[in-house]
Amino acid sequence: MWRAFGFQPYRSEAFRLSTDPFFVDKVHDVVRLCLDPPERALVLCVDEKSQIQALDRSQPVLPMVPGVPERATRGYVRVGTTTLFAAFDATSGQVIGSRHRRHRAAGFKKFLTKLDKESPAGLDVHLICGNYATHKTADIKKRLLARPRLHMHFTPAGSSWLNLVERWFAELANKQIRAESTNQCQHPRETSAPGSPPGTRTPSHSYGRRQPTRSSNPRLILPTNY
């Protein structure tokens, strides 16, 4: 009977209606930037993925052999967390990333400086961002005034799906983060180490509840550039 009448009670879908009063204008702005970017300008989709967990399996992962897939236990040990700021260039597919311990405006401020330095000179840089308070603090506004070639564009409230970097975050989580096992979680230090060139970042110490004795992949460290 289900097949005859097209019933599928085991399926469900979710939706969310945006209450942003400027929803249409913001959608037009974001779509226009992606499909028809301004001349001599770089368009980057920017966001952050917070609370990325570094997990190690409680037992060694059994490798794949002929006729048998790779097998891993469901038990895991939490090693630490990190926050990844990323800027996705929809034209070239390149990503600029930066890792921080916490999701704060100070980290986003440093990430804006990184984007300004690594973007080609002579080009305006348009940043498509979400509506997090991190993106709209007084310090961020001052940083944008000091770097006039950076232009912020915001997606409508409740419409993060419009930001292409979210699709990249999903691919990163499905194909790398969830499939890996690690016993370390490292971050770049906020200041340079003694004797290192200006602007150089060095890995900080690992932290967590305990260090497992065995791991199939002992060092899973997200790179700062992709």
Side-chain angles (χ1 to χ4, degrees):
M1 189 177 76
W2 286 2
R3 187 180 299 108
F5 290 94
F7 291 154
Q8 295 179 333
Y10 49 85
R11 296 182 60 183
S12 64
E13 296 180 353
F15 68 93
R16 180 177 181 180
L17 297 179
S18 176
T19 58
D20 196 318
F22 303 103
F23 177 83
V24 175
D25 294 336
K26 290 182 177 180
V27 169
H28 287 173
D29 183 39
V30 172
V31 174
R32 177 183 56 81
L33 284 173
C34 293
L35 297 182
D36 187 20
E39 295 184 2
R40 299 193 59 77
L42 179 66
V43 178
L44 300 176
C45 301
V46 178
D47 209 343
E48 54 274 334
K49 185 175 180 62
S50 60
Q51 296 297 314
I52 300 176
Q53 295 191 75
L55 303 177
D56 189 23
R57 298 298 164 185
S58 57
Q59 299 292 331
V61 177
L62 302 178
M64 177 180 61
V65 296
V68 180
E70 179 184 83
R71 292 175 292 175
T73 176
R74 292 184 179 273
Y76 60 85
V77 177
R78 291 187 179 93
V79 181
T81 59
T82 187
T83 294
L84 173 64
F85 291 90
F88 177 80
D89 184 351
T91 302
S92 65
Q94 295 182 345
V95 178
I96 301 175
S98 179
R99 291 172 291 109
H100 298 271
R101 288 186 182 274
R102 297 182 178 89
H103 177 200
R104 292 182 175 179
F108 185 65
K109 182 179 178 180
K110 293 180 180 180
F111 185 53
L112 290 178
T113 302
K114 180 183 180 70
L115 292 179
D116 188 35
K117 290 181 179 180
E118 298 192 10
S119 298
L123 297 181
D124 285 343
V125 181
H126 295 265
L127 308 176
I128 299 175
C129 302
N131 288 275
Y132 290 118
T134 302
H135 303 158
K136 302 178 179 180
T137 63
D139 286 343
I140 297 300
K141 294 178 180 178
K142 291 180 181 178
R143 181 55 56 94
L144 293 174
L145 290 175
R147 290 172 168 77
R149 75 170 182 148
L150 299 180
H151 308 276
M152 298 278 282
H153 303 261
F154 295 100
T155 59
S159 303
S160 60
W161 51 267
L162 197 58
N163 199 338
L164 289 177
V165 74
E166 295 289 350
R167 181 62 256 169
W168 183 81
F169 280 147
E171 291 296 313
L172 178 68
N174 292 332
K175 295 183 179 181
Q176 181 173 352
I177 297 176
R178 294 175 184 170
E180 295 288 351
S181 179
T182 180
N183 63 7
Q184 294 190 20
C185 182
Q186 297 187 355
H187 302 79
R189 292 188 185 276
E190 298 298 330
T191 58
S192 301
S196 60
T200 301
R201 291 185 172 186
T202 56
S204 63
H205 63 280
S206 302
Y207 66 98
R209 295 182 178 179
R210 67 182 179 89
Q211 294 294 335
T213 57
R214 302 181 67 181
S215 174
S216 62
N217 183 1
R219 293 180 62 83
L220 172 62
I221 302 174
L222 290 174
T224 55
N225 291 299
Y226 298 87

